[in-house]
Every structure is written in structure tokens, then in C-alpha cells.
Amino acid sequence: MNLTTELVDACRRQFPALSRRVGDHPAMFFDGPGGTQTPLRVIEAVSHYLAHTNANHEGRFATSRESDALLHEAHRAMADFLGADDAEEIAFGANMTSLTFALSRSLAQTWREGDEVVVTRLDHDANVSPWVLAARDAGATVRYVEVNRDDCTLDLEDFRGKINDRTVLVAVGCASNASGSINPVKQICRWAREAGALSFLDAVHFAPHARIDVQDFGCDLLACSAYKFFGPHVGVMWGRRSLLEATPAYKVRPATDALPGKWMTGTQNHEGIAGALSAVEYLAALGRDIQADESLDRRTALTAAMTGICGYEGGLIERLLDGLAGIEAIKVWGITDKARLGERLPTVSITHERHTADELAEQLGRRGMFVWSGNYYALQLTETLGLEPQGMCRIGLVHYNTAQEVDALLAVLGELS
């Protein structure tokens, strides 16, 4: 079943930020790719933790035991969210970038001169620079996968040719945070596996829009950030148990060698992890509402939620692209063919003939419409497209956005042209 307008309205009532105004204008949050808003239950979960369960790990007293129980449940919830069967394969951290840098440093200890690492020119730099710097330190070679400039998708023929028996790691995003292009990660992970290489997926931009399933993807490692799927600023990493156990981690001596603590350096952001748990529960509750079945287990409910969200957002992106096509001064960077909308997420980057990206964002912001401008750390892509230093203006839709908001945005963009 799809996410109905009535359910979207019910969702919106759960997000306090959506009642904000900018002068006489209602705030419209098209900035989701940079971080989504949070429902009240997430805000309350963070507050409740700090008020009632604030303690460090493994203490012999009530608040510590309650905190540990909550954190354990957060690992279980995130395993459900990512499609993993083992909650101890989940590690939390400051953000996806920090987790990836730490992981890359550890994996690089196993690399040697002549080894090759494959990254892409479509990815967020958090899935490029950590691997490039780690390869440099290990004496390994970096190979870059090129982009099809006409639709901002990966050149899959080039990708396949870049993987060989010297490849030790393939790093790719599930979807582009700039063009919205969805990458065929199952196929790419299979190529890596056939070559004897590890695969690392950046699911940060993918997470609020579609179902993540690490087992179906066939990847070895995956990372995302809760603040992109309606939670607080916390990073999440999943890895195969055998790999996480065998790879040496940089950590202090008293820290455990057991999972998941081995990869969770220092005292974690416990209140943030509590909020991440609540964000997963928000999505699960939405799935039960979509199916009208309160008995659904969390994993099944999450599948229902993401299926409903995909269907609803598909209508929004079609509406947005149809409207942008009628504004002659605007160019969309990415897939616009209606027959291929299943290959993209509702994230659209544009440029304007007469206004820079910053100017567009500024003018829209004055009208309460929040969009991003620049390169959003997808630096390889904007350099490849020749769009530096101004970059693009990015419109990001999530399930709390509405058709009326899309129409209002299009009307203002038409006026500015």
C-alpha cells in the first residue's frame, strides 16, 4: 500500500519544525538531503534519556543498566533497519564520515603497494577522501569510476573495467546526494566479490527514501547517518561479523575486543543513539499505519514504510520534474526521463541561466523555501561537470513534503526566471 495524503498529514503533525514560519511565509523544508527534520517522539527520546537514564556503560547501578538495555535495543532496531541479522554487527559513531575514516585507517593496514581501491566521481567526498588518503598511506593505487554527464549516472562499463584481481576495496554510494541517481549496488557488490575485493556502501542519502537490506545488497560494509532519516546526529556502520572481528581497530587498550564495542571508540552519544532508536520506531509505526496492522513486527513494518514512502515520493518527483521542464532558464542535472524515474530518488539539482546557485537559494530562502546550494560535498561530480565553484541548487523531497509545497516552489522558480 502507498502512503496516502491523510497519512502524510498525520506525519506532518508529528514534526514541530514544520509549523515554522519565515516572515509571512510558511517554512517549506526542501533541505532534507542535508539533514531531515525530526518527529516529536525522537525529540522526546533524547530528552528522556538525559533526564532519566543518563549514565555511562556497564555500571552496577540502575541508570547504567537501564541505559545499557536501551542501547542494546538500539542496536537491534538498527539491525532491523539495515536488514542485518546480528545486532552486534552494528556500530554507532559520531557520523558516517568519522566512522569511514576510522574504518579506512584500519583496513589500510592490510593493503600493500600494487593493491587498488575503486571509488567513483559520483559520490559524496566522505566515501572518496577516506579511501584515497588510506590508499596513499598504504602505497595503494586509487582508480576513479567516471560519470555519464548527460544524466549524472555511473558509467557502468567503466566501473566493471576498473575492478580486477588487484582490487582490494570498492566504495560506492547507494544513491547520489547531488543528482539523486540510484546505483545498482547489488551488481557492483557482486563484481567486487568475484574479484575477491571488499565492498563498502554509503547509504546516507538512500536511507530516508528506500529499503536498505545489507543481505540482499551483498555488501561487506555499509554506513549511514541517523540525522538523514529523521533522527539525531549519530552515525551508523554495519559490517560482516567475520570481517569486523578480523580487522584490527584503533582503540584504547581497556576497550573491549568484542563486537560491537571494538568499533565504538570512547563514550558514545547515548542520547543520540536513543533518538536513533526512536527514529526507526517512527518509521516502523508509519509502516503499521500504512498496512493498518498494529501486529506487524518491526522489520516487516519498516519494509511497509519504505515501500509506501517510495510510492508517495515517486509522485512528488514526477510533479517537480514536470514543472521544472516548463521553466526554460533551468537545467536539471540528472535523470529526467519519466520512464526511468525508478532509477532516481526525489533529489534534484538545478542550475539557472541568470542566477547563481547561491542567489537562487537566497531568494527561495526569503520566501521560506529551504534549499541547498554549492556542491554538498559531491565535489568529484561538480568538478567533472565543470560547475565549480558555484555548484548547483539542490531541491530535496522527503515524505513530509507535499504536492502543494512542490507547486509553490515551482511558482516562485517561474517568477525568478
Side-chain angles (χ1 to χ4, degrees):
M1 294 180 66
N2 282 336
L3 182 59
T4 64
T5 301
E6 291 75 21
L7 284 176
V8 171
D9 290 341
C11 288
R12 286 178 61 85
R13 288 192 292 270
Q14 298 179 58
F15 287 78
L18 302 187
S19 64
R20 183 185 177 103
R21 299 188 69 84
V22 178
D24 295 331
H25 305 284
M28 300 182 191
F29 292 85
F30 300 113
D31 63 335
T36 53
Q37 301 306 304
T38 55
L40 185 59
R41 66 187 299 160
V42 171
I43 298 166
E44 290 176 340
V46 173
S47 176
H48 186 273
Y49 180 90
L50 291 172
H52 301 288
T53 324
N54 190 15
N56 215 320
H57 208 33
E58 295 183 342
R60 297 177 182 271
F61 49 90
T63 51
S64 182
R65 287 177 175 138
E66 291 165 6
S67 175
D68 285 347
L70 185 148
L71 298 178
H72 176 69
E73 183 59 24
H75 283 265
R76 293 183 60 224
M78 202 54 61
D80 286 340
F81 184 70
L82 299 181
D85 284 339
D86 186 348
E88 292 185 345
E89 293 176 332
I90 302 294
F92 290 98
N95 46 58
M96 176 270 181
T97 303
S98 297
L99 286 165
T100 306
F101 266 111
L103 177 67
S104 68
R105 187 181 185 191
S106 292
L107 287 177
Q109 299 304 304
T110 68
W111 300 344
R112 299 292 179 264
E113 188 173 348
D115 288 342
E116 295 183 357
V117 174
V118 177
V119 297
T120 88
R121 298 199 188 280
L122 188 62
D123 273 77
H124 187 291
D125 203 58
N127 200 27
V128 179
S129 283
W131 308 114
V132 170
L133 295 173
R136 179 199 66 186
D137 294 346
T141 299
V142 177
R143 307 195 74 182
Y144 290 85
V145 176
E146 299 300 331
V147 173
N148 297 311
R149 300 186 184 200
D150 58 336
D151 62 3
C152 297
T153 59
L154 289 174
D155 183 335
L156 294 181
E157 183 176 350
D158 182 58
F159 207 140
R160 186 67 188 92
K162 292 285 169 59
I163 301 174
N164 56 56
D165 58 6
R166 296 182 299 277
T167 306
V168 291
L169 179 93
V170 176
V172 63
C174 293
S176 167
N177 74 312
S179 69
S181 306
I182 298 173
N183 297 323
V185 293
K186 284 182 63 174
Q187 181 180 23
I188 293 166
C189 290
R190 185 174 68 250
W191 290 341
R193 190 164 54 251
E194 290 170 351
L198 297 176
S199 54
F200 177 93
L201 300 183
D202 171 6
V204 172
H205 189 62
F206 191 80
H209 303 291
R211 189 71 167 107
I212 299 172
D213 189 334
V214 293
Q215 296 181 78
D216 182 57
F217 291 170
C219 57
D220 296 294
L221 299 148
L222 179 145
C224 59
S225 290
Y227 76 100
K228 298 296 180 74
F229 56 88
F230 320 107
H233 288 83
V234 175
V236 186
M237 183 178 76
W238 170 87
R240 287 189 295 104
R241 173 178 281 274
S242 58
L243 177 60
L244 294 179
E245 289 180 335
T247 304
Y250 284 79
K251 63 183 186 62
V252 296
R253 285 193 299 158
T256 181
D257 287 318
L259 300 183
K262 175 181 177 180
W263 292 96
M264 296 174 59
T265 54
T267 300
Q268 290 292 308
N269 176 4
H270 293 176
E271 62 270 26
I273 295 173
L277 165 60
S278 187
V280 173
E281 294 291 7
Y282 161 76
L283 288 168
L286 177 57
R288 295 184 186 105
D289 287 342
I290 290 172
Q291 293 288 84
D293 186 352
E294 289 299 315
S295 70
L296 294 181
D297 65 88
R298 184 163 55 203
R299 191 168 297 209
T300 303
L302 288 168
T303 298
M306 302 319 294
T307 301
I309 284 171
C310 280
Y312 175 74
E313 291 179 349
L316 291 184
I317 185 62
E318 184 172 358
R319 193 182 195 99
L320 176 60
L321 290 174
D322 280 347
L324 291 173
I327 304 175
E328 188 174 340
I330 287 177
K331 175 178 175 56
V332 174
W333 297 86
I335 295 169
T336 57
D337 183 351
K338 282 190 178 182
R340 297 177 59 200
L341 292 187
E343 300 174 39
R344 61 134 56 244
L345 297 178
T347 300
V348 178
S349 289
I350 63 173
T351 51
H352 195 284
E353 288 180 356
R354 292 182 295 281
H355 302 290
T356 67
D358 282 347
E359 288 170 350
L360 275 182
E362 181 69 31
Q363 298 233 37
L364 290 169
R366 291 173 186 166
R367 293 165 171 82
M369 299 173 180
F370 303 164
V371 298
W372 284 105
S373 58
N375 59 42
Y376 353 108
Y377 287 60
L379 183 59
Q380 290 288 333
L381 178 61
T382 52
E383 287 178 336
T384 297
L385 298 176
L387 296 175
E388 284 297 317
Q390 294 178 346
M392 302 174 282
C393 184
R394 181 177 65 182
I395 305 160
L397 304 173
V398 293
H399 73 274
Y400 55 61
N401 291 118
T402 66
Q404 291 75 20
E405 289 180 330
V406 171
D407 291 345
L409 174 69
L410 290 168
V412 173
L413 286 172
E415 292 171 9
L416 294 175
S417 297

